[in-house]
RNA sequence: GGAGGAGUGCCCGAGUGGCUAAAGGGGGCGGACUGUAAAUCCGCUGGCUAUGCCUACGUUGGUUCGAAUCCAACCUCCUCCA
């Protein structure tokens, strides 16, 4: 079925990673012949990546698994500029300290998916600040700027949309594509990297680098993008009830991460199994063949496998077990997200509004009030109608905790310490 | 540099002196139905120490008893001219 010779390209194709390729045959041949180096860049705009980046990370994972060398590029240099792609407005300028902090937060995730080291296919981490900060403006303009046509630059979606929407686009941001193009050239020079991958929104940025490679290094560089991920009903990937689906455990617990995958739409189960687990294809086919309520089993596998990749098998099994208890037995599973509160404070009584905000279930007292009115607020599984109610140690269950629920799916345990 | 037009809540978009925390739609959240799914239907959707107070219609000032609405300057964008 697949016409590709290299294991990497075959895998990418059958698992649904491919969207655009600059030269499919050429890349396939190269991957079949030798150990290739490829990179993907990541912005340092937040202290954790979220599931939106997971496709790219999985791609690097497979790239390494099929015998090649992946590079993760931390964009701490380009983050100082800000990628205008897909943004309505200029992003706030981040301070260098913020960027450095974000970089450190993001780094941790890669170690879960990639093996770093000095071997031929061991992953490397680079940071474009290492060369971008040293650039000399005049040299850069002359050596790189001459190859960029403003006529073409303003046709690009990232720029055109801003222009059409009558949104400000600073010259600073306008330069982003040059810098990303230059990154590719620089990484190629340093590591003989031949491939840049990324989300489909990065296509034109990647091609800038391909162009530079041909002109300044006289070498064919390759470009590969993944499809833009949306759910079957069209929503963007990566939102949950509580906000973004962060990859760092301190920003989204393994339990919540598991829940995110568990709540996948039926129509997405196969696609997600292929992209976000490393289960063999025939197993995925079997799971994806399930219908009706049975498909819930496939979703549990998806959730556990995806969670295991990120947080480890132990955490994944724990999350699955917690969910089983909470949803299938209705029990007060101890593994639910838990907040701690001083026992003395609990003795005096904690206002229900305060409690739900502290637990992170609501973002303001007003929201708690509205949810109480809407019948969504429960304490120890009992609906609560009184916004003046306090929770006290009298509410402690036999397990020594108090269970706060918002709706049917969101639960937090309060534990006195 | 000149002339004209525009900037509204998470997004789109109505509103041209008080009845406006701002129509409508989208999104989000909650409820019903289910399978912790989708679709559908219903409710909610600025904050607070809450029959009141505060913040909010690009920014800063001003007029007025009262401003998203009027005026001035500034910022950004669009169109035409130079």
């Amino acid at each position: 079925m697949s016409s590709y010779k290299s294991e990497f390209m075959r895998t990418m194709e059958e698992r649904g990673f491919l969207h655009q390729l600059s030269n499919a045959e050429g890349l396939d041949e190269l991957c079949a012949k030798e150990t290739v180096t490829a990179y993907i860049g990541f912005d340092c705009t937040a202290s954790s990546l979220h599931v939106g980046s997971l496709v790219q990370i999985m791609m690097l994972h497979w790239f390494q698994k099929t015998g090649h060398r992946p590079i993760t590029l931390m964009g701490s240099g380009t983050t100082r500029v800000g990628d205008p792609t897909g943004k309505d407005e200029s992003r706030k300028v981040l301070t260098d300290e913020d960027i450095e902090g974000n970089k450190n937060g993001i780094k941790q995730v890669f170690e879960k998916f990639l093996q770093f080291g000095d071997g031929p296919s061991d992953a490397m981490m680079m940071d474009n600040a290492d060369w971008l900060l040293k650039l000399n403006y005049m040299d850069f303009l002359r050596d790189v700027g001459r190859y960029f046509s403003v006529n073409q630059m303003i046709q690009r979606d990232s720029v055109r949309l801003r222009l059409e929407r009558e949104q400000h686009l600073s010259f600073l941001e306008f330069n982003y594509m040059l810098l990303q193009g230059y990154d590719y050239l620089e990484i190629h020079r340093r590591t003989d990297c031949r491939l840049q991958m990324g989300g489909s929104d990065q296509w034109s940025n990647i091609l800038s680098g391909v162009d530079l490679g041909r002109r300044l290094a006289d070498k064919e560089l390759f470009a590969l993008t993944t499809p833009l991920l949306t759910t079957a009903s069209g929503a963007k990937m990566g939102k949950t009830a509580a906000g973004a689906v962060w990859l760092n455990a301190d920003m989204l617990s393994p339990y919540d991460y598991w829940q995110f995958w568990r709540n996948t739409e039926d129509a997405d189960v196969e696609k997600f199994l292929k992209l976000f687990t490393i289960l063999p294809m025939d197993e995925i086919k079997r799971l994806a063949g399930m219908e009706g309520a049975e498909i819930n089993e496939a979703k549990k596998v998806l959730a556990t496998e995806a969670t295991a990749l990120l947080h480890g098998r132990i955490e994944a099994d724990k999350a699955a077990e917690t969910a089983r208890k909470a949803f299938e037995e209705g029990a007060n599973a101890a593994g639910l997200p838990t907040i701690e509160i001083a026992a003395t404070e609990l003795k005096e009584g904690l206002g229900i509004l305060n409690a739900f905000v502290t637990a992170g279930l609501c973002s303001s007292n007003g929201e708690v009030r509205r949810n109480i009115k809407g019948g969504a607020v429960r304490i120890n599984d009992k609906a609560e109608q009184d916004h003046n109610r306090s929770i006290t140690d009298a509410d402690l269950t036999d397990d020594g905790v108090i269970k706060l629920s918002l709706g049917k799916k969101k639960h937090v345990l309060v534990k006195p310490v």
Side-chain angles (χ1 to χ4, degrees):
Chain A
M1 58 169 248
S2 167
S3 54
Y4 290 120
K5 287 181 284 202
S6 66
E7 197 191 344
F8 172 66
M9 290 295 285
R10 271 204 312 274
T11 308
M12 289 298 94
E13 181 172 56
E14 73 181 359
R15 301 190 83 102
F17 281 86
L18 298 184
H19 180 59
Q20 289 156 300
L21 286 152
S22 59
N23 173 359
E25 297 78 45
L27 179 60
D28 183 42
E29 228 151 86
L30 188 72
C31 289
K33 191 172 85 209
E34 58 188 68
T35 301
V36 181
T37 301
Y39 90 92
I40 298 180
F42 296 88
D43 265 350
C44 301
T45 44
S47 59
S48 165
L49 295 172
H50 51 81
V51 278
S53 302
L54 197 56
V55 187
Q56 330 310 336
I57 298 174
M58 289 303 294
M59 194 152 59
L60 287 177
H61 174 87
W62 284 112
F63 190 67
Q64 181 168 51
K65 211 170 184 182
T66 55
H68 304 286
R69 178 168 68 154
I71 296 176
T72 58
L73 175 72
M74 308 304 296
S76 67
T78 31
T79 301
R80 288 172 166 81
V81 170
D83 183 1
T85 304
K87 313 231 161 36
D88 275 355
E89 284 171 27
S90 317
R91 171 191 291 152
K92 284 190 268 326
V93 176
L94 295 168
T95 65
D96 292 359
E97 294 78 64
D98 286 341
I99 292 174
E100 193 59 24
N102 291 342
K103 181 177 145 188
N104 291 329
I106 289 168
K107 265 165 137 177
Q108 311 163 16
V109 167
F110 295 117
E111 279 149 30
K112 314 260 176 91
F113 292 86
L114 300 171
Q115 157 122 37
F116 287 85
D118 297 321
S121 71
D122 279 347
M124 296 172 65
M125 194 170 289
M126 299 181 88
D127 185 337
N128 62 13
D130 288 347
W131 52 85
L132 292 181
L133 298 187
K134 289 189 215 140
L135 279 180
N136 173 295
Y137 191 58
M138 288 312 290
D139 291 343
F140 183 74
L141 282 181
R142 246 185 6 187
D143 298 342
V144 175
R146 63 193 299 192
Y147 295 115
F148 282 82
S149 149
V150 171
N151 311 45
Q152 281 170 25
M153 286 166 78
I154 61 172
Q155 300 299 320
R156 294 225 189 143
D157 282 357
S158 61
V159 174
R160 212 191 63 230
L161 292 174
R162 275 281 189 91
L163 297 180
E164 279 172 3
R165 302 186 72 163
E166 304 182 13
Q167 298 288 346
H168 173 68
L169 176 75
S170 70
F171 185 66
L172 177 74
E173 295 170 281
F174 191 56
N175 274 267
Y176 184 88
M177 57 184 101
L178 275 77
L179 295 177
Q180 191 173 334
Y182 179 72
D183 276 348
Y184 196 176
L185 178 69
E186 186 63 32
I187 291 170
H188 167 70
R189 283 174 168 163
R190 291 176 178 223
T191 67
D192 197 34
C193 170
R194 295 293 301 276
L195 172 64
Q196 183 184 173
M197 309 190 282
S200 58
D201 57 338
Q202 294 299 314
W203 179 242
S204 56
N205 283 337
I206 296 174
L207 286 185
S208 300
V210 171
D211 259 12
L212 282 182
R214 190 174 52 240
R215 296 176 132 136
L216 287 169
D218 196 26
K219 200 66 172 275
E220 179 178 12
L221 303 181
F222 296 94
L224 185 165
T225 62
T226 55
L228 181 68
L229 262 204
T230 55
T231 69
S233 34
K236 258 198 199 143
M237 274 284 288
K239 293 291 229 163
T240 56
V245 181
W246 302 107
L247 299 184
N248 288 8
D250 55 353
M251 292 179 72
L252 188 74
S253 70
Y255 170 79
D256 285 326
Y257 189 73
W258 193 94
Q259 281 298 320
F260 167 72
W261 294 108
R262 174 62 184 82
N263 285 307
T264 296
E265 295 178 26
D266 289 9
D268 287 322
V269 170
E270 179 174 5
K271 182 165 81 179
F272 287 1
L273 281 167
K274 287 200 264 186
L275 290 169
F276 301 115
T277 74
I278 52 175
L279 291 172
M281 285 300 287
D282 47 358
E283 172 71 359
I284 291 176
K285 285 274 181 286
R286 187 183 72 76
L287 291 167
M290 296 177 164
E291 277 176 22
E294 205 193 13
I295 203 168
N296 281 322
E297 292 310 311
K299 291 185 190 179
K300 287 180 205 165
V301 174
L302 168 65
T304 304
E305 292 303 312
T307 306
L309 280 174
L310 178 64
H311 296 300
R313 181 65 57 181
I314 295 170
E315 288 295 329
D317 288 340
K318 228 158 72 186
E321 179 57 16
T322 300
R324 196 185 64 76
K325 282 201 183 128
F327 285 96
E328 292 172 29
E329 290 176 10
N332 244 10
L336 289 170
T338 302
I339 56 160
E340 298 184 333
I341 177 174
T344 51
E345 200 179 334
L346 189 62
K347 190 161 270 166
E348 288 163 17
L350 180 65
I352 186 169
L353 303 182
N354 191 351
F356 270 73
V357 173
T358 310
L361 289 165
C362 293
S363 56
S364 70
N365 290 359
E367 195 181 326
V368 185
R369 282 173 211 271
R370 284 194 295 271
N371 281 121
I372 289 174
K373 215 180 290 171
V377 167
R378 279 170 299 140
I379 294 175
N380 291 330
D381 298 311
K382 271 205 0 250
E384 199 50 64
Q385 292 295 330
D386 176 12
H387 61 249
N388 287 320
R389 186 192 197 287
S390 283
I391 60 170
T392 66
D393 41 14
D395 293 304
L396 288 169
T397 63
D398 297 342
D399 301 323
V401 293
I402 301 166
K403 182 181 180 188
L404 307 180
S405 307
L406 181 71
K408 293 200 171 116
K409 294 189 190 172
K410 284 177 280 187
H411 312 283
V412 170
L413 301 180
V414 177
K415 191 175 172 188
V417 287

